Amino acid sequence: MLLFLSVPQPRPPGARTRAGAARAARWRRRQWLRLQQLRRLRRLLRGLRGRPGAGGRRRGRMALCGPAAGAASLPSELIVHIFSFLPAPDRLRASASCSHWRECLFYPALWPQLRVCLRVSPAEQPRLEFLMRKCGWFVRELRVEFAAENYLSGGGGPGGGGADPGTGGEEVEAVQLSSRWLEVLRTYLELVLCVLVSIRNNRNLQKFSLFGDISVLQQQGNLSNTYLSKVDPDGKKIKQIQQLFEEILSNSRQLKWLSCGFMLEIVTPTSLSSLSNSIANTMEHLSLLDNNIPGNSTLITTVELERFVNLRSLALDFCDFTAEMARVLSDSNHVPLQRLSLLAHNVSVMHKSLDNMPNDEHWKALSRRSPSLRVYIMAFDIKSDDMLKILKPSIPLERIHFDSYITCVSGAIVDLISRQYDKFLTHFILMNDVIDTSGFPDLSDNRNEDPLVLLAWRCTKLSLLAIHGYTVWAHNLIAIARLRGSNLKVLEVTEESIDFDQGELADQDVDPVHNLIEQVSLGLGQPWHAVMDIESLGVFTEPNRHFYREMQSFSEDI
């Protein structure tokens, strides 16, 4: 039995042998160099703090610019280490201190992911070019969102405007809007080219997401093609963009996540064929959303989907998700699918048929293969008859978002959802922007119970409820808050959607608005107020962007 009474001091390797004498000398030399580096670093840090008793605070501040011990004298490794603890905006500010710090700003390890939200404005182009030139060749995760600046500032789409009739103002306004949107499209194409050119040779790219909020043009149907033909009459830029996108896919070696949503004329039905089999076999997320694809064209076919055997999350147009695709995803050769996001758009439903969509047996087979599968559906101006076809009982529906400009959701649809998906539903969003002078539709008409109250009662996992453009009675809103309590994390109802009974308004002793706020707050266990400014919430004003971002987080939450 051995007893260690003391811990021996470290000695150079091979010090007791004659053959290790050289190695021991080199070891001592390295130890001495490390000690010198530590002493030098200690002196630098002491200089940054300032020496006590030698000029006070002023001397300490001036030590930053001193020739012997200044910020520019720090080793590059130490600067990069300091930058690693700072968020991106603070890194940019810190890099302005001197040229040496600026050189260390774009060290590849500091920028493994880059998320950029751009206004489609000429002012953004030089900034984007600089950023992509520095980071585009090595960034591993790139997420870019484009937003039309004129649309977001309230200009409306082509053909909109509020000029005074009878004075020729409408024609002038139409010309101004036309020229403005031509400039938006022209800038949009330049910014997209800048992004794609900078990453065309990036073989480290693992996650690539693009979103283009040019939805106003897309909602006008073939009007977008008219504007594109004016901006790019011979189609050279569009062709270049499509070729660059395919080149990025063909050059990728580590791509796991590919997401492209509402990007005008970028993804084509042949784009995915550029992916090698090895990359397609290891892809974990695929999202291809574009409601501007004409006719019966689809961005992905069933044959192409068979290559993506490791897919865990998928986002497609609902009309593109066929029964054959459900069969492929249910096959034992494929990894069980975890998340499925589907966009049901009235434009797609008009041009494509719902006859090929999965039936209830296909959904049952898919759920058996993937027990943890959850589905997210956004229905954009879908008629009630079509919704009855879409909502199969065996869909594991967790989130649903209704957004209407032409048609309204009926109480029967809400009641069907609460009965069929009570075990899964967590998010329910009901939006209506239909202009109707007679008031908002009331889902509880000719019913003993309000469908929204039944939804809150049956769906015990409900955590988010957002309503605008439908009448919500105050006593029903209180009932919803009491039924779900603190489990209902988000309850967003616009002020204009709330209505009161005549009895509540006639009671002079109680302020109905104050009583509503108090009772709902008590039911939820947290302070609550109705949404006063609808423009402040993206779910109301930008449905495409909201769906895309929710789809991203929904797919990442596996």
Side-chain angles (χ1 to χ4, degrees):
M1 182 176 179
L2 298 178
L3 295 176
F4 293 93
L5 300 179
S6 63
V7 179
Q9 296 296 321
R11 69 177 64 210
R16 291 188 176 183
T17 62
R18 187 176 301 174
R23 286 198 302 272
R26 287 195 297 271
W27 182 84
R28 293 190 186 93
R29 175 67 177 172
R30 287 196 300 269
Q31 293 293 100
W32 183 82
L33 289 175
R34 290 174 184 172
L35 182 61
Q36 294 302 315
Q37 289 177 352
L38 288 174
R39 289 174 177 173
R40 179 171 177 265
L41 179 59
R42 189 178 301 168
R43 287 196 300 270
L44 287 173
L45 294 176
R46 189 183 298 118
L48 289 174
R49 290 193 299 265
R51 297 177 183 177
R57 255 186 211 177
R58 182 177 179 84
R59 179 68 175 272
R61 289 196 301 265
M62 295 302 293
L64 285 170
C65 304
S73 303
L74 293 175
S76 300
E77 292 81 0
L78 181 58
I79 297 174
V80 171
H81 186 64
I82 293 173
F83 280 167
S84 67
F85 294 96
L86 302 178
D90 292 341
R91 290 179 199 168
L92 295 175
R93 296 188 190 97
S95 66
S97 61
C98 62
S99 59
H100 181 44
W101 282 49
R102 197 155 48 247
E103 291 173 0
C104 300
L105 175 62
F106 291 102
Y107 189 79
L110 295 175
W111 303 93
Q113 55 181 280
L114 190 62
R115 302 186 179 185
V116 185
C117 186
L118 294 168
R119 294 171 295 121
V120 181
S121 168
E124 297 283 2
Q125 189 166 351
R127 305 169 189 170
L128 180 64
E129 289 177 351
F130 172 79
L131 188 62
M132 298 309 299
R133 185 174 65 252
K134 291 290 187 179
C135 301
W137 60 277
F138 63 76
V139 66
R140 293 181 179 272
E141 177 184 343
L142 178 62
R143 181 179 296 182
V144 184
E145 293 186 8
F146 298 95
E149 180 183 27
N150 295 327
Y151 169 56
L152 294 180
S153 61
D164 184 19
T167 61
E170 290 184 352
E171 296 181 2
V172 174
E173 184 72 13
V175 172
Q176 291 176 349
L177 286 172
S178 177
S179 61
R180 178 166 51 178
W181 277 102
L182 285 174
E183 181 63 26
V184 166
L185 268 181
R186 190 177 294 109
T187 306
Y188 165 78
L189 295 179
E190 292 296 333
L191 294 178
V192 173
L193 276 173
C194 175
V195 172
L196 298 183
V197 168
S198 64
I199 63 172
R200 63 193 302 180
N201 296 319
N202 185 347
R203 301 200 172 194
N204 296 321
L205 196 62
Q206 297 178 2
K207 297 181 72 173
F208 184 34
S209 300
L210 285 175
F211 172 81
D213 187 15
I214 316 295
S215 55
V216 171
L217 296 179
Q218 293 177 349
Q219 290 168 10
Q220 302 295 334
N222 58 11
L223 185 64
S224 60
N225 296 328
T226 304
Y227 275 79
L228 275 177
S229 63
K230 294 179 181 179
V231 173
D232 188 25
D234 51 4
K236 287 185 177 180
K237 283 192 176 181
I238 291 295
K239 189 65 177 177
Q240 184 184 2
I241 287 174
Q242 293 173 352
Q243 290 176 348
L244 281 171
F245 185 76
E246 293 178 0
E247 185 179 350
I248 292 169
L249 298 185
S250 61
N251 290 336
S252 62
R253 295 295 180 269
Q254 303 181 38
L255 194 63
K256 305 289 185 184
W257 181 291
L258 178 61
S259 180
C260 191
F262 312 106
M263 296 294 294
L264 203 59
E265 302 287 344
I266 288 186
V267 184
T268 66
T270 60
S271 297
L272 288 182
S273 60
S274 304
L275 280 171
S276 63
N277 286 331
S278 59
I279 296 300
N281 292 341
T282 57
M283 188 80 71
E284 297 179 357
H285 171 83
L286 181 62
S287 170
L288 298 176
L289 299 167
D290 191 351
N291 51 27
N292 199 47
I293 297 297
N296 293 323
S297 301
T298 59
L299 296 178
I300 183 171
T301 62
T302 303
V303 176
E304 193 70 50
L305 186 63
E306 290 179 349
R307 297 199 300 154
F308 295 85
V309 295
N310 202 45
L311 211 59
R312 287 173 168 79
S313 59
L314 177 66
L316 292 175
D317 189 288
F318 187 89
C319 294
D320 293 344
F321 187 70
T322 62
E324 283 299 308
M325 287 188 177
R327 182 192 58 79
V328 169
L329 294 172
S330 304
D331 193 271
S332 58
N333 294 330
H334 281 252
V335 169
L337 192 69
Q338 305 290 321
R339 298 290 184 269
L340 178 60
S341 301
L342 299 171
L343 174 65
H345 200 284
N346 66 325
V347 175
S348 298
V349 173
M350 283 191 298
H351 293 91
K352 301 176 183 180
S353 175
L354 291 175
D355 297 336
N356 297 324
M357 67 179 180
N359 58 31
D360 200 51
E361 293 300 321
H362 292 118
W363 283 109
K364 287 180 180 179
L366 189 57
S367 298
R368 284 195 299 268
R369 173 60 183 158
S370 309
S372 58
L373 173 65
R374 296 296 179 267
V375 178
Y376 175 24
I377 294 179
M378 177 178 177
F380 192 90
D381 260 333
I382 302 297
K383 299 177 181 178
S384 295
D385 294 340
D386 292 329
M387 282 306 305
L388 292 175
K389 298 177 183 177
I390 290 173
L391 296 174
K392 303 300 182 185
S394 298
I395 298 178
L397 185 64
E398 183 177 284
R399 306 183 183 192
I400 189 163
H401 178 177
F402 289 101
D403 203 293
S404 304
Y405 286 89
I406 302 173
T407 61
C408 295
V409 177
S410 65
I413 295 296
V414 178
D415 186 63
L416 178 68
I417 291 172
S418 66
R419 286 188 284 106
Q420 290 188 166
Y421 312 116
D422 56 309
K423 296 180 180 179
F424 303 104
L425 194 69
T426 62
H427 290 57
F428 187 83
I429 300 176
L430 196 59
M431 300 290 116
N432 173 32
D433 284 336
V434 179
I435 300 176
D436 188 355
T437 56
S438 61
F440 292 150
D442 186 359
L443 298 177
S444 62
D445 274 352
N446 302 321
R447 290 175 174 271
N448 294 328
E449 295 291 342
D450 186 278
L452 294 173
V453 176
L454 292 176
L455 180 84
W457 175 55
R458 291 168 176 160
C459 302
T460 57
K461 294 184 179 180
L462 190 67
S463 61
L464 184 147
L465 179 63
I467 304 170
H468 165 67
Y470 292 85
T471 298
V472 182
W473 296 97
H475 61 272
N476 289 332
L477 192 58
I478 295 172
I480 291 171
R482 289 175 177 174
L483 283 169
R484 291 277 54 87
S486 60
N487 293 325
L488 188 59
K489 304 299 182 184
V490 178
L491 177 60
E492 293 177 344
V493 182
T494 55
E495 182 194 24
E496 53 191 320
S497 301
I498 301 174
D499 205 349
F500 296 88
D501 290 331
Q502 292 299 322
E504 294 174 323
L505 296 175
D507 190 352
Q508 300 295 328
D509 297 331
V510 179
D511 181 6
V513 176
H514 182 271
N515 180 66
L516 172 67
I517 294 174
E518 182 181 7
Q519 294 300 321
V520 173
S521 299
L522 287 173
L524 297 177
Q526 60 180 344
W528 178 87
H529 291 278
V531 178
M532 307 295 290
D533 182 13
I534 188 174
E535 300 295 330
S536 63
L537 296 175
V539 63
F540 300 127
T541 58
E542 301 176 78
N544 281 348
R545 182 182 295 272
H546 175 81
F547 172 73
Y548 186 77
R549 289 181 175 177
E550 284 294 302
M551 178 273 297
Q552 295 275 90
S553 61
F554 179 63
S555 301
E556 289 172 345
D557 185 24
I558 299 178

